[in-house]
Amino acid sequence: MKIKYVSTPIYYPNSVPHIGHIYSNLIADVWKRAAVLMGKKAFLSTGLDEHGQKVAQAAQRCGYSPKEHVDYLSGLFISFFRKYNLDWDVWVRTTNDAHKASAQAFWKKLEEKGFIYKGNYSGWYSITDENYLSQKPEEENDNIVWREEECYYFKLSALEDKLKTFYEKNADTVFPKTRYNEVMGFINKGLADFVVSRPKDRLHWGIEVPGDESHVMYVWVDALVNYLSAIDYPNDGYKNYWPAVHILGKDILKFHAIYWPAMLIAADIAPMSKLIVHGWWLNDDAKISKSSGNAIDLDELKEKYQADGIRYFLIKHMSIGEDAQFKEEFIKAAVHGDLANKYGNLFLRLLGLIELGFGSRLPELSALKKVESCKNLEKLLEEFKQMLEGLSENPELANEYVSKFLECISEMNNCFQEHKIWAIQDKHEQAAYLYFFTDVFKKLSILIYPIMPETANEVMQFFGFKEVSMKHYDVPLGSGFFNDKPKFFPKNK
Ligand code: MSP
């Protein structure tokens, strides 16, 4: 049986994670939770890209061996990701033996098919980007070095036509369209063979080239193969998952859109099914990164806005493909403005009215007449529910999904205000509205689970359900007493 497979990039463990890393994983996590909510089988891979010069240098700076360094950072990444309720099926580490064996098997396959040959290279190399530069940089620095070395090449030039045909036939492979155009631009400029090894005497921190212990694999080849090693390539089981949907940031598009599918085609494996390319989180117009010192403390953020609050903000505020500003005022607008004032507060008002008028006991559904005057809210809720299916297939719909949630909670508030629920004198009528809104609230909370899992769980437990599941969606609410109110989000200050 085919299992839908989504991957995130694997991160360089040269420093602690930041919000950009959390974001890539969040898109995948939201998708996986949506798929599971829809009863589908889904698989998510993520992890660390532990080889290469950048990581070796970071370890040296900290006074550790590369292995000690990556072991420590792997634990740290996992603990931060867990704090934001990010989940996965496999945590890849490229220093694991299984990954190494998989990468070597992939290399051998490329070699067998005649796509790898030995040659020499001389040119400028960027250590930060782990990449040779096409021309001499205007300014030299410690990160840009001249190199002359014996190396292995990958015959990319021989695959130019195949790659072009693939993208012409499968324009939907790259999301959004602007990135697709960029990919076609790369191809139209012509594709040259590229270097896929490094001499071991220069860089020992890598996977050995099979059959030549004087070279290690180029870290990007090693890293890209993680998408296969995560699903047990070369063992046949990988075919149950492949092809994958890859989530990545715009800075690593060329590696994923050109090198990777070309290597896959060369190894007789179908290219990935989709690349979802997101933009950057910016702090005052500069890309957030640990090295530039503009990253925001993830513990502090969580403390202030809760994991679910930040998850909601990240998905709401970035339209996939565009860059977005990471500013406190925008977080406040999302967490206080939407979640506290429109979502949590309405629920607390409902509970207050149920307490006041009905002794904290929600009236029985069978005794109530149907509310007919909130048709627009019902329509929006139905549209939102329909979108869950789309999200469970297409992670790139997360941002639209949150917009629909916001439409629903705004309309729920409008309706509540318009009908002045708190002032209705007729007890039967008021009870009917209270039930209606409480039920809408429960449904919205189930549907928002992929984005805000902790909140959804809390709400469902409050209503007496063990877990968040679509099987509870149409189940009438029990008429038990409502006592301990959920905490929700801090009210607008
Ligand atoms: N190790 C490679 C990826 C190999 S995947 C086979 C790498 N690692 S990275 O740690 O530098 O970056 C990983 C991902 O984080 C990239 O997709 C990158 O775009 C993303 N981000 C890093 N900083 C970011 C922001 N400020 N905003 C959003 N995402 C950004 O590249």
Side-chain angles (χ1 to χ4, degrees), residues 269-438:
I269 301 174
M272 67 281 154
S273 59
K274 199 182 261 178
L275 298 176
I276 299 175
V277 191
H278 64 75
W280 288 340
W281 284 98
L282 308 175
N283 190 344
D284 282 338
D285 292 332
K287 181 189 180 200
I288 292 180
S289 72
K290 274 285 160 190
S291 55
S292 53
N294 63 356
I296 300 99
D297 186 297
L298 292 177
D299 280 325
E300 220 172 89
L301 269 182
K302 181 182 161 159
E303 183 67 28
K304 263 178 146 168
Y305 300 105
Q306 304 179 29
D308 278 358
I310 296 297
R311 289 171 64 108
Y312 174 80
F313 160 73
L314 290 173
I315 296 292
K316 178 190 174 193
H317 199 68
M318 183 176 269
S319 156
I320 295 183
E322 310 286 319
D323 291 347
Q325 295 285 347
F326 195 91
K327 282 212 172 106
E328 185 121 21
E329 63 189 276
F330 298 138
I331 307 178
K332 280 190 175 156
V335 179
H336 295 163
D338 303 349
L339 299 181
N341 293 354
K342 290 191 176 148
Y343 173 72
N345 188 47
L346 190 105
F347 189 50
L348 295 178
R349 287 183 76 184
L350 286 173
L351 294 184
L353 291 173
I354 294 170
E355 187 178 349
L356 208 68
F358 301 88
S360 287
R361 186 165 203 146
L362 190 70
E364 282 268 1
L365 175 64
S366 55
L368 302 171
K369 66 174 192 226
K370 193 168 166 14
V371 167
E372 299 288 355
S373 56
C374 297
K375 288 287 174 220
N376 193 35
L377 175 57
E378 286 182 274
K379 180 177 145 276
L380 289 173
L381 180 66
E382 187 52 31
E383 285 168 8
F384 186 32
K385 184 176 171 215
Q386 295 305 324
M387 285 174 81
L388 179 64
E389 168 58 24
L391 178 64
S392 73
E393 290 293 320
N394 305 294
E396 68 275 23
L397 297 181
N399 173 253
E400 282 173 42
Y401 192 72
V402 162
S403 300
K404 187 58 82 180
F405 171 74
L406 184 53
E407 266 188 78
C408 289
I409 56 175
S410 302
E411 181 59 18
M412 187 164 68
N413 277 272
N414 291 343
C415 217
F416 189 84
Q417 288 299 119
E418 190 186 323
H419 297 291
K420 295 194 172 56
I421 308 303
W422 61 95
I424 299 176
Q425 296 300 319
D426 177 332
K427 279 278 166 223
H428 285 292
E429 196 187 341
Q430 194 188 35
Y433 272 110
L434 290 176
Y435 184 94
F436 170 78
F437 282 114
T438 312

Side-chain angles (χ1 to χ4, degrees), residues 7-14 18-24 47-51 54-55 77 94 128-129 219-227 246-253 255-256 260 276-283 286-290 294 318 323-324:
S7 70
T8 77
I10 49 171
Y11 307 99
Y12 289 129
N14 44 7
H18 60 69
I19 207 72
H21 305 140
I22 299 276
Y23 181 70
S24 283
L48 297 186
D49 183 358
E50 300 186 343
H51 289 124
K54 216 163 26 173
V55 175
F77 264 75
T94 54
T128 336
D129 297 342
V219 67
W220 266 102
V221 174
D222 165 353
L224 287 163
V225 180
N226 97 84
Y227 299 134
H246 300 314
I247 292 165
L248 55 137
K250 63 179 184 180
D251 48 326
I252 53 175
L253 178 60
F255 298 101
H256 284 79
W260 182 226
I276 299 175
V277 191
H278 64 75
W280 288 340
W281 284 98
L282 308 175
N283 190 344
K287 181 189 180 200
I288 292 180
S289 72
K290 274 285 160 190
N294 63 356
M318 183 176 269
D323 291 347

Side-chain angles (χ1 to χ4, degrees), residues 11-15 49-70 73 94-95 125 127-128 130 143 147 200-206 216 219:
Y11 307 99
Y12 289 129
N14 44 7
S15 187
D49 183 358
E50 300 186 343
H51 289 124
Q53 189 141 358
K54 216 163 26 173
V55 175
Q57 280 181 341
Q60 204 176 18
R61 273 196 304 273
C62 304
Y64 290 110
S65 73
K67 183 73 174 100
E68 284 166 337
H69 176 80
V70 295
L73 275 161
T94 54
T95 52
Y125 187 81
I127 296 173
T128 336
E130 299 276 15
N143 269 319
R147 289 215 168 150
K200 211 168 169 188
D201 54 8
R202 213 190 272 288
L203 175 71
H204 70 284
W205 189 235
V216 295
V219 67

Side-chain angles (χ1 to χ4, degrees), residues 25 89 124 174 192 208 210 212 307 321 336 348 401 405 413 432 443 474:
N25 266 66
D89 296 290
W124 295 98
V174 187
E208 237 169 52
D212 185 349
H336 295 163
L348 295 178
Y401 192 72
F405 171 74
N413 277 272
K443 289 176 168 152
D474 286 317

Side-chain angles (χ1 to χ4, degrees), residues 222-237:
D222 165 353
L224 287 163
V225 180
N226 97 84
Y227 299 134
L228 288 174
S229 70
I231 48 170
D232 210 21
Y233 174 87
N235 297 320
D236 261 359

Side-chain angles (χ1 to χ4, degrees), residues 145-156:
V145 288
W146 176 259
R147 289 215 168 150
E148 287 179 31
E149 51 203 23
E150 189 184 56
C151 57
Y152 289 90
Y153 279 90
F154 176 71
K155 252 192 220 171
L156 180 63

